[in-house]
Amino acid sequence: MVSNIYKSYNWTLAELHAFCLICECQNLSQAALRLDMSQSAVSVMVQRWRRAIGDPLFVRVRYGVAPTDIAIALRDKLRPLLEGVTLALTHPQGFNPAKSTRAFKIHMTDIGQLVFLPGLNNFLVRRAPGIRLTVKNLAWETLEAGLSSGEIDVAIGSLPMIKGRVHSRLLRHEHYVTAMRKGHPLAKSELDLAAFTSADHLAIDATSSGHSLVESALRSMSMRRNIALAIPHYLAAEQILSKSNYLLTVPDVAVLSFHDPKAFHIVPTPLELPTFDIRLHWHERSRQDEGIRWLRNTISSLFEKR
């Protein structure tokens, strides 16, 4: 039960921000560093809150503290209010993309940067020249927390592992293809599984490339392919593929984003590989943020495949 003291306790805006930060960090030392305060000062502040609320708020666990149910409920009510205050103070006249100097943070894999970043950047240069972008490639297991905390504003990709209070919008439905240079000997006829497995392959050993899916599909049939060259990203893939007899199996959108996709012979991969969706993701916390709403609408209008 909430104490009557709570009704008369004079919470400051800084304390409310600190409370939500501790709920996020679940560690007083980390919160103290981010607040530029001593840990003892943070502990004293937490004690004041406990007396005011009449609840422990945070209980010790092995690697820090865990918020109680009351703390979580309070945080969920405070977070949208604090975000509204921040937006009101930083953008008192609303969001104007043509005049804004805001920095947005976007999660994209290397294939996402290849496919979406040039077009988005060109649009911003023309329509919103003061806006800055920071592109991050977070580990999949940290994406939901990154969206929740504001470390990133939106995420683009095939990210079915993201749950919680995260919304998404479909940009495009994708499938895997196999590409080779136009003069490749195998470009003269239909590519079958025997020819596929006997050929030399260029493999992009990245989570976004589908490399592991191809290997798993072949192993399930007790088959293997000859990977002549494996690289960690897409940077040199087009140049290597254009000057070799390698095959490259990747999402269709990756090949279409090459500088000159017409220089390649693109065919269906002779394996049963899953299709997947590329989606734009954002957290519920940003629902009142006019800037992030504008960014979402911009990305959708540029890249949504209709």
Side-chain angles (χ1 to χ4, degrees):
M1 182 175 178
V2 176
S3 166
N4 289 332
I5 302 175
Y6 172 62
K7 297 178 181 179
S8 60
Y9 183 73
N10 185 24
W11 290 77
T12 67
L13 186 60
E15 282 184 298
L16 296 177
H17 278 291
F19 172 80
C20 290
L21 181 61
I22 295 172
C23 287
E24 174 195 327
C25 293
Q26 298 191 18
N27 185 290
L28 295 186
S29 298
Q30 291 180 15
L33 285 172
R34 292 175 64 175
L35 291 167
D36 195 21
M37 297 173 62
S38 67
Q39 184 173 341
S40 60
V42 172
S43 297
V44 169
M45 191 163 51
V46 171
Q47 291 297 328
R48 290 202 304 269
W49 300 341
R50 286 171 173 168
R51 290 193 297 271
I53 299 297
D55 182 83
L57 294 178
F58 303 98
V59 295
R60 293 192 178 278
V61 293
R62 185 173 182 182
Y63 294 109
V65 294
T68 65
D69 290 343
I70 286 179
I72 292 172
L74 181 58
R75 175 206 62 191
D76 290 344
K77 291 179 180 179
L78 286 174
R79 183 178 282 165
L81 299 176
L82 292 173
E83 289 166 357
V85 170
T86 300
L87 288 173
L89 294 174
T90 54
H91 304 286
Q93 296 181 332
F95 181 77
N96 183 341
K99 296 182 179 180
S100 176
T101 58
R102 183 168 175 178
F104 289 107
K105 304 172 289 293
I106 303 179
H107 163 87
M108 295 182 190
T109 61
D110 55 348
I111 188 173
Q113 294 171 44
L114 179 72
V115 174
F116 302 112
L117 190 54
L120 178 58
N121 187 67
N122 289 340
F123 177 88
L124 294 178
V125 169
R126 296 193 315 270
R127 301 291 183 86
I131 285 178
R132 294 162 290 148
L133 287 182
T134 297
V135 177
K136 299 188 176 187
N137 189 353
L138 303 184
W140 284 7
E141 63 271 15
T142 67
L143 276 172
E144 185 179 332
L147 287 167
S148 175
S149 67
E151 182 181 359
I152 51 175
D153 296 310
V154 297
I156 299 175
S158 177
L159 307 168
M161 77 295 296
I162 299 182
K163 307 295 182 183
R165 298 165 60 192
V166 176
H167 304 278
S168 69
R169 183 170 179 173
L170 178 65
L171 295 179
R172 55 196 305 153
H173 189 68
E174 280 299 320
H175 61 282
Y176 290 92
V177 296
T178 296
M180 64 194 83
R181 64 180 180 85
K182 276 284 180 69
H184 196 292
L186 294 179
K188 299 175 182 178
S189 57
E190 182 178 348
L191 182 66
D192 58 21
L193 187 57
F196 180 84
T197 53
S198 62
D200 290 335
H201 290 257
L202 168 64
I204 301 174
D205 193 2
T207 53
S208 60
S209 69
H211 167 67
S212 60
L213 289 175
V214 175
E215 296 305 293
S216 295
L218 289 171
R219 281 197 301 270
S220 70
M221 298 184 291
S222 300
M223 303 179 76
R224 62 184 299 273
R225 59 176 175 163
N226 178 41
I227 298 176
L229 177 61
I231 55 179
H233 45 66
Y234 287 85
L235 183 63
E238 180 176 6
Q239 186 174 2
I240 292 171
L241 195 64
S242 67
K243 297 178 180 179
S244 70
N245 280 336
Y246 297 153
L247 302 185
L248 175 65
T249 299
V250 289
D252 182 46
V253 68
V255 180
L256 295 180
S257 298
F258 281 173
H259 178 70
D260 185 15
K262 293 182 180 179
F264 299 94
H265 182 61
I266 305 170
V267 298
T269 301
L271 285 170
E272 289 190 15
L273 298 174
T275 59
F276 62 96
D277 292 336
I278 297 178
R279 308 185 74 92
L280 171 66
H281 303 261
W282 67 93
H283 197 270
E284 186 179 328
R285 69 173 182 82
S286 64
R287 64 190 179 280
Q288 296 181 355
D289 189 321
E290 293 181 20
I292 294 180
R293 189 185 306 125
W294 173 84
L295 179 65
R296 294 191 334 242
N297 291 337
T298 295
I299 292 171
S300 296
S301 65
L302 287 173
F303 304 115
E304 192 172 299
K305 193 173 182 179
R306 297 173 176 85

